[in-house]
Amino acid sequence: MNEIRFDGRVAIVTGAGGGLGRAHALLLASRGAKVVVNDLGGTRDGTGASHNMADLVVQEIRNAGGEAVANYDGVDTLAGGEAIVRTAVDAFGKVDIVINNAGILRDRAFHNLTEEDWDRVLAVHLKGAFNVTQPAFRVMRQNSYGRVVLTSSASGIYGNFGQSNYAAAKMALIGLMNVLELEGARYNIKVNTIAPVAASRLTVDVLPPPILERMKPELVSPLVAYLSSEECQESGSIFTVGGGYISRIAIIEGNGVFLDSEREVTIEAVRRSFLQVKDMAGAREFADLNDEITTRVFSRIMKEAAE
Ligand code: NAI
């Protein structure tokens, strides 16, 4: 079987100084990609900064015969995002792959959450994806080639106590992906999202030790690399991945009910049909807003108009 390679490709991995980002960067570099290893080098709540983390990973890549440069900018400012992309263009001439991975945690029950906890977490996870991906997307459009991976979380997709700021940011990335999929399609830019689980400093006190041992970040990176490869044509999909498990997650919509819009749309009619409203038998995915709205919401009106 031929090996999937990244020779001639330039990848940015944000937050690549440790955990998952480091594993993604090492794998891509080992298959020939030139890698920008970005990391602010702060603590897990986003305070502080140092060059150490990114430098060590660049050294590891070079020691193994790969090519990499370090970048120490924060993804949480537009200037930082632009500087990260500039590092790739200055060092390697372009950017083909962006792995948005940088992340912090500020967990607190919602009623105790401060505005700063909210703002900092959204700035790194959500605005960070905008800050880095937008300047990269512009380069990718010019080159008619790009692969983008966003890092969401099951916490955002399914919910997790004490993570309202984090979950809101992580779910918002799926909205971003859905639009970038459409806007990137003409330019061969594919955008996918992962919801990983792995042992890292973010999960060291959350998952029990016997599980942590089996949840190596290296078990997440092959999916990330595959989604970043030229041969992968997937775009707009969400994958849950960790410990050897890989599966697609989808947003689906049920068949619902159609109430008579002239007479029947009352509170009591909603009560009467609520079980049917909630029934997911025959549920399906939609390609985009137009697909959903014409297939479901407008379908009765269009059918009546045609009769
Ligand atoms: P980690 O803490 O080891 O890695 C995050 C990296 O991002 C750190 O090296 C940190 O220095 C860097 N970083 C933080 N703020 C930054 C900024 N403003 N600019 C640049 N770099 C910054 O944690 P882990 O687990 O490897 O997390 C990677 C991503 O995966 C995060 O987005 C996290 O939310 C996500 N994730 C991880 C899960 C897990 O089970 N480990 C579960 C679900 C999502």
Side-chain angles (χ1 to χ4, degrees):
M1 209 164 55
N2 68 327
E3 204 180 60
I4 294 180
R5 303 239 3 134
F6 298 88
D7 303 299
R9 295 289 177 208
V10 177
I12 291 171
V13 184
T14 70
L20 286 162
R22 172 180 163 274
H24 304 337
L26 290 174
L27 182 59
L28 288 169
S30 75
R31 295 293 179 96
K34 300 179 173 82
V35 181
V36 174
V37 175
N38 158 263
D39 207 290
L40 182 65
T43 57
R44 116 182 178 156
D45 70 0
T47 49
S50 88
H51 288 192
N52 252 357
M53 292 174 73
D55 283 345
L56 282 172
V57 175
V58 167
Q59 207 46 58
E60 268 187 276
I61 290 174
R62 289 184 182 158
N63 289 347
E67 272 189 78
V69 292
N71 171 284
Y72 318 108
D73 288 291
V75 299
D76 49 306
T77 65
L78 188 56
E82 283 168 348
I84 294 165
V85 174
R86 208 177 315 118
T87 300
V89 174
D90 288 351
F92 304 127
K94 59 175 179 169
V95 50
D96 300 303
I97 297 164
V98 173
I99 314 297
N100 288 287
N101 165 81
I104 61 168
L105 278 184
R106 293 209 175 183
D107 294 356
R108 234 182 273 273
F110 184 59
H111 64 279
N112 289 325
L113 197 72
T114 65
E115 186 182 10
E116 204 205 338
D117 294 332
W118 177 269
D119 287 345
R120 292 297 308 143
V121 165
L122 267 83
V124 175
H125 292 278
L126 178 56
K127 183 98 187 295
F130 163 75
N131 292 333
V132 179
T133 309
Q134 193 193 44
F137 205 78
R138 290 178 175 146
V139 177
M140 290 171 173
R141 276 176 99 244
Q142 277 170 3
N143 295 337
S144 286
Y145 186 85
R147 297 289 181 267
V148 177
V149 177
L150 299 165
T151 306
S152 182
S153 167
S155 164
I157 296 165
Y158 299 116
N160 194 26
F161 194 97
Q163 295 199 307
S164 53
N165 50 354
Y166 182 74
K170 288 304 200 187
M171 195 58 178
L173 292 172
I174 290 169
L176 176 65
M177 172 192 71
N178 287 335
V179 175
L180 296 192
E181 176 207 355
L182 301 173
E183 296 189 6
R186 275 180 58 197
Y187 303 95
N188 191 16
I189 301 172
K190 315 287 184 198
V191 189
N192 293 287
T193 302
I194 62 158
V197 190
S200 77
R201 68 181 190 176
L202 294 188
T203 48
V204 73
D205 53 358
V206 184
L207 299 171
I211 293 193
L212 279 174
E213 275 165 36
R214 304 191 55 179
M215 305 299 287
K216 297 193 177 8
E218 289 74 14
L219 299 172
V220 172
S221 303
L223 171 67
V224 170
Y226 180 67
L227 295 171
S228 306
S229 69
E230 187 170 352
E231 75 177 59
C232 180
Q233 295 300 302
E234 191 68 23
S235 195
S237 290
I238 311 163
F239 299 92
T240 176
V241 51
Y245 175 67
I246 307 178
S247 182
R248 189 166 78 90
I249 295 175
I251 295 174
I252 57 171
E253 182 173 317
N255 275 321
V257 293
F258 271 105
L259 304 172
D260 184 330
S261 59
E262 303 280 318
R263 288 181 302 272
E264 221 189 337
V265 187
T266 62
I267 306 174
E268 290 70 29
V270 171
R271 175 175 62 191
R272 195 172 60 243
S273 43
F274 205 56
L275 279 179
Q276 204 186 334
V277 166
K278 287 182 43 172
D279 186 7
M280 296 307 278
R284 54 158 287 197
E285 290 178 67
F286 294 95
D288 61 14
L289 166 71
N290 266 331
D291 184 20
E292 189 267 352
I293 211 153
T294 52
T295 312
R296 290 280 206 256
V297 188
F298 294 166
S299 66
R300 163 93 68 95
I301 301 166
M302 284 157 66
K303 206 169 131 218
E304 280 168 7
E307 278 165 4

